[in-house]
Amino acid sequence: MKIQKEDVFKALQTITVPGEGQNMVDSGAVKNVIVFGDEVVVDIIIANPSLQAKKRTEVDILKTIHELVYEKAKITVNLKVEAPAAKPKNEIKGKQIPGIQNIVAVASGKGGVGKSTVTANLAVTLAKMGFKVGILDADIYGPSMPIMFDVEAERPLSVTIDGKPKMKPVENYGVKILSIGFFTKPDQAVVWRGPMAAKALNQMIFDAHWGELDFLLLDLPPGTGDIHLSIMQALPITGAVVVSTPQNVALADAKKGVAMFQQESINVPVLGIIENMAYFTPEELPENKYYIFGKEGAKHLAEDLQVPFLGELPLVQSIREAGDVGRPAALQTATILEKSFEKITQNVVEEVVKRNVDLPPTEAIKITTMAGCSSVKK
């Protein structure tokens, strides 16, 4: 009996490859079928290397062709195992939020280095450049964005989206903002354990109507802890920016912050390091620079860690004053601060573009409760 090649393919379409949902023809596992009279040769590639999977695949092919095509067919199965390619380094994690293109975490190993100030000014500079921007104030225990954007008295409104109530972020200077500070009294301390803080963050992330955003900036709390892990489990972080002053004490903690994102179980791309309070220039002596906290410490750290150096910001009184009155300093026109923030923001955007070209899209992360411990065996 002469066997038809089409009949063999139809028969193989009734078989599922072990561990896969599709049949072996539609999944592409069957690479070739050759027919010579009553002889059939099937070339197939599977991903499962186990002996059981290989044996079952071969037996299923023999049995199915004998039953559905020709019971006396002489069948040869050439089976090859090809494991799926390893995932590229720095593949990042989280659940995608519709409408948000890039999520950038702004972190610092140490408190008091101006991380929130940098985040606020990055946001308004991005907005000035024409991007759609949002800020999630993830510093649960020390939220400062409501003050920095002069919206302390505001409260997020409730809107109905697809039949579900959602929080509408507060907006000022072209930036959408959500913070736990909107839901607490000014003199009320947030005394929560990690799981409760993580739940509050998840509500602000997934129960909010952010709309279309080019950038969502995350103002993370200082250090490397539970909030950081919760954020990276929940969100597809495009990349992280680390802020530090030039002094050794801050640099030691900034190094740990970079190491956290580069840890194998987390693997979030580090877009670069920003040096804040790089030098002090008196208003009456604009050409003079005084390196109060040390000189170019963060720049040298970036070189040592082989991550981009995004730029430096001077120690200027008006930055503090602008933050305190709720109008970020980057909104000032024709000043050294505006130019500094514009340059740094351009560098951040360039690094995001490079990251999106060089690295694959996001997928879920699984972090154990011991993920940060070097003593845990892999």
Side-chain angles (χ1 to χ4, degrees):
M1 175 181 174
K2 185 176 180 181
I3 299 173
Q4 299 297 318
K5 191 173 182 179
E6 295 78 10
D7 294 336
V8 176
F9 273 110
K10 286 180 182 178
L12 295 177
Q13 282 180 315
T14 65
I15 310 172
T16 301
V17 177
E20 297 183 16
Q22 285 183 305
N23 67 70
M24 58 178 56
V25 175
D26 292 341
S27 68
V30 175
K31 299 302 178 184
N32 195 21
V33 171
I34 302 172
V35 175
F36 300 101
D38 62 353
E39 296 182 20
V40 179
V41 178
V42 178
D43 295 331
I44 184 166
I45 295 176
I46 66 173
N48 192 331
S50 69
L51 182 63
Q52 181 181 3
K54 291 189 285 186
K55 191 65 179 175
R56 179 187 153 187
T57 301
E58 187 174 354
V59 169
D60 284 350
I61 291 173
L62 295 172
K63 182 179 177 182
T64 302
I65 293 175
H66 283 149
E67 288 181 354
L68 300 181
V69 181
Y70 180 45
E71 62 181 358
K72 296 182 180 179
K74 300 170 185 176
I75 305 166
T76 302
V77 178
N78 297 323
L79 191 149
K80 184 179 178 182
V81 175
E82 283 187 3
K87 293 176 183 176
K89 191 174 188 257
N90 279 346
E91 189 163 358
I92 58 177
K93 340 315 188 207
K95 180 181 176 183
Q96 190 70 43
I97 303 178
I100 298 179
Q101 300 302 316
N102 300 287
I103 301 177
V104 177
V106 184
S108 68
K110 187 173 181 61
V113 298
K115 167 187 52 61
S116 296
T117 300
V118 169
T119 304
N121 283 282
L122 280 176
V124 297
T125 304
L126 285 167
K128 284 167 64 178
M129 290 177 174
F131 293 107
K132 297 174 183 177
V133 190
I135 292 179
L136 174 63
D137 191 351
D139 194 347
I140 292 290
Y141 305 107
S144 51
M145 288 303 157
I147 295 174
M148 291 188 171
F149 279 84
D150 193 25
V151 287
E152 282 183 280
E154 301 291 332
R155 295 292 178 269
L157 300 175
S158 177
V159 293
T160 302
I161 306 296
D162 297 329
K164 297 180 180 178
K166 298 276 187 179
M167 284 183 283
K168 182 181 179 182
V170 174
E171 187 169 347
N172 200 12
Y173 309 127
V175 179
K176 296 178 180 179
I177 310 153
L178 272 183
S179 169
I180 199 67
F182 292 134
F183 307 100
T184 59
K185 297 177 182 178
D187 58 348
Q188 180 183 353
V190 178
V191 188
W192 290 346
R193 294 188 184 273
M196 191 167 181
K199 184 178 180 181
L201 278 174
N202 277 335
Q203 286 183 314
M204 287 195 290
I205 293 167
F206 297 112
D207 291 343
H209 178 56
W210 289 100
E212 298 291 326
L213 293 181
D214 297 305
F215 291 91
L216 176 64
L217 303 185
L218 306 179
D219 184 28
L220 295 178
T224 56
D226 192 55
I227 297 297
H228 303 78
L229 292 178
S230 297
I231 284 284
M232 286 178 282
Q233 280 180 293
L235 285 173
I237 309 292
T238 305
V241 171
V242 176
V243 179
S244 179
T245 57
Q247 69 184 116
N248 289 336
V249 173
L251 293 172
D253 289 340
K255 189 174 183 178
K256 294 174 185 175
V258 172
M260 172 188 69
F261 290 112
Q262 292 181 335
Q263 190 169 302
E264 187 176 348
S265 59
I266 294 174
N267 237 354
V268 169
V270 177
L271 302 175
I273 296 176
I274 296 173
E275 184 170 272
N276 194 24
M277 309 182 205
Y279 56 85
F280 169 66
T281 298
E283 188 175 352
E284 62 275 12
L285 298 169
E287 300 303 317
N288 289 22
K289 291 183 179 180
Y290 299 94
Y291 297 94
I292 297 173
F293 298 111
K295 187 176 180 180
E296 297 183 341
K299 183 177 181 180
H300 295 319
L301 177 64
E303 291 170 357
D304 291 342
L305 299 177
Q306 296 183 331
V307 298
F309 179 65
L310 300 172
E312 60 183 21
L313 294 165
L315 177 60
V316 179
Q317 183 175 332
S318 62
I319 295 182
R320 191 273 304 164
E321 292 173 341
D324 285 349
V325 299
R327 184 175 171 80
L331 293 171
Q332 300 170 12
T333 57
T335 65
I336 186 175
L337 295 178
E338 182 188 39
K339 291 179 181 177
S340 296
F341 281 116
E342 281 181 354
K343 181 61 178 173
I344 287 174
T345 305
Q346 287 170 1
N347 290 339
V348 171
V349 173
E350 286 177 11
E351 291 301 324
V352 169
V353 171
K354 288 179 188 176
R355 173 259 171 272
N356 288 337
V357 170
D358 296 341
L359 298 176
T362 62
E363 69 172 38
I365 180 176
K366 294 186 185 296
I367 301 178
T368 69
T369 55
M370 299 293 284
C373 298
S374 59
S375 60
V376 177
K377 294 182 181 179
K378 296 176 184 178

